[in-house]
Amino acid sequence: LDDFFERLATLEEEEEEEDDDDHQGTPMMIRNFIKEHANRGGDEGAATSRLFSNPAGDYGSLVNDRVVGGDWEDANDLGETWASRNSVAFGRGKQGGQKNAAALDSLLETTDLVVQEVDSVEYGLTDIQEYYANTGALKKAAEKRRTAAGKTKTKVSVSVVESFGKKGKGSSSSQVKDLDETLRLEYRAKLLNPKWAESMASQGSGGVYEISQRMTAALGWAATNGVDDFVFDQAAERYVQDKDMAARLQKANPEAFKNVVGRLLETHARGLWNADPNLIDQLRDIYDDADDIIEGVTVVQQPGD
């Protein structure tokens, strides 16, 4: 791939005629974006860099660690964490990788579309932390640089390619969907689905943990992309306001249940969920009670209280 990009950087832009019905015979310039980027400056190897990752021997963007720990001020912090962790270029002559944040920044500035492949029907974008920690945070990093560069369009789109499923001869079953559409579909299929919720609750501690993890991931997606209010509204209703369900979850895994409530409160506190104030008051009381249960605090009511 690195050889391919370097060769492209030496090709001249050419004109060719469009052959569609509306533009027959109209000259069309074929733009060489690789060459344009290389001409911006820097040594040849750095200017054609397109393959970026973590330092050799290291792993992860650490964005999910910051979300889990609550160690971030705003969504731009998450984008910058991703960029700092993925600024090492790999390719021919770059054994072990070479840090080149300037080249990555230049590419992010001109990025208006991110493509994420999902190759498993079992684990989707909302099931594990790594998707928002990479795709979502990359999107945020690109949007910040486009804004700083004064681009007219600062929002970066994300296309999700689902490559699982059977493929017939000469055809592909891959589907391309918008990120927002995919998130809505997945939340309705799992987190907000009564059958899925019941299945997780019936599995005891492990099932409650899975619910808890998806609530943390929902916060991550809300920060890096945005999540519809109805997702958090219905999650609160299904897992917290439903007293029977809440009691089951809390009994099976008190820490995970507390995290579910805590993530709802955090999402609202960060301005990522426009929730009913009465609901937030209720969630705060439930969170305090959940904390007392974990700490082993017993509240004794006095006569007249």
Side-chain angles (χ1 to χ4, degrees):
L1 283 173
D2 200 52
D3 286 345
F4 173 69
F5 294 134
E6 289 192 10
R7 288 160 60 190
L8 278 177
T10 65
L11 296 179
E12 297 296 331
E13 294 181 339
E14 298 179 357
E15 283 190 359
E16 70 174 27
E17 292 185 355
E18 295 191 47
D19 57 3
D20 58 86
D21 294 336
D22 295 329
H23 303 90
Q24 275 192 332
T26 303
M28 178 184 67
M29 179 66 72
I30 301 176
R31 292 182 64 184
N32 185 340
F33 291 99
I34 305 294
K35 185 179 183 67
E36 289 180 21
H37 178 244
N39 287 340
R40 291 181 186 178
D43 63 86
E44 182 179 354
T48 58
S49 293
R50 286 296 187 283
L51 309 176
F52 291 86
S53 188
N54 309 135
D58 210 341
Y59 176 77
S61 69
L62 300 186
V63 171
N64 49 322
D65 291 340
R66 297 196 68 176
V67 171
V68 169
D71 177 30
W72 54 289
E73 292 296 325
D74 58 37
N76 284 327
D77 288 348
L78 303 181
E80 291 311 294
T81 297
W82 182 90
S84 67
R85 291 283 297 170
N86 287 275
S87 60
V88 177
F90 290 84
R92 188 179 299 280
K94 306 183 186 76
Q95 295 300 322
Q98 294 178 358
K99 188 171 181 64
N100 196 326
L104 178 61
D105 285 345
S106 180
L107 289 169
L108 290 173
E109 179 187 313
T110 58
T111 296
D112 57 16
L113 174 65
V114 175
V115 180
Q116 171 66 61
E117 179 186 12
V118 177
D119 60 4
S120 169
V121 71
E122 183 176 358
Y123 293 106
L125 300 184
T126 62
D127 293 321
I128 54 180
Q129 312 293 325
E130 282 72 15
Y131 280 120
Y132 76 77
N134 287 287
T135 304
L138 187 164
K139 174 182 183 293
K140 209 66 188 175
E143 288 174 342
K144 180 179 179 181
R145 283 153 181 77
R146 291 180 66 83
T147 300
K151 299 287 186 180
T152 303
K153 177 190 173 187
T154 58
K155 182 176 175 57
V156 173
S157 302
V158 178
S159 292
V160 180
V161 180
E162 297 178 345
S163 60
F164 50 81
K166 296 181 179 179
K167 298 180 181 180
K169 186 176 181 180
S171 65
S172 171
S173 63
S174 297
Q175 298 184 50
V176 180
K177 297 180 180 178
D178 174 72
L179 174 60
D180 292 328
E181 174 192 1
T182 303
L183 292 177
R184 292 185 191 109
L185 179 62
E186 287 194 15
Y187 283 127
R188 288 187 173 111
K190 292 184 179 180
L191 187 66
L192 306 180
N193 185 338
K195 292 184 178 179
W196 185 88
E198 177 58 35
S199 174
M200 291 297 104
S202 66
Q203 293 180 30
S205 178
V208 183
Y209 174 79
E210 291 296 329
I211 296 170
S212 171
Q213 288 295 291
R214 283 163 177 79
M215 287 305 305
T216 301
L219 169 59
W221 276 120
T224 58
N225 177 74
V227 171
D228 295 307
D229 283 342
F230 79 82
V231 173
F232 299 104
D233 291 337
Q234 294 183 27
E237 179 182 356
R238 185 162 311 286
Y239 298 109
V240 184
Q241 291 179 290
D242 183 326
K243 293 183 179 180
D244 290 338
M245 174 64 80
R248 292 171 64 190
L249 301 184
Q250 191 166 38
K251 181 179 179 180
N253 192 329
E255 287 283 1
F257 176 73
K258 177 186 172 184
N259 185 69
V260 170
V261 183
R263 295 306 179 188
L264 288 167
L265 288 170
E266 183 181 355
T267 304
H268 173 262
R270 291 184 181 278
L272 303 172
W273 171 34
N274 183 27
D276 185 291
N278 293 327
L279 172 57
I280 296 302
D281 289 340
Q282 182 184 2
L283 291 175
R284 289 193 182 108
D285 291 340
I286 294 173
Y287 184 85
D288 289 342
D289 290 342
D291 199 35
D292 288 342
I293 290 174
I294 292 172
E295 296 297 328
V297 176
T298 302
V299 177
V300 179
Q301 293 242 326
Q302 297 297 327
D305 286 352

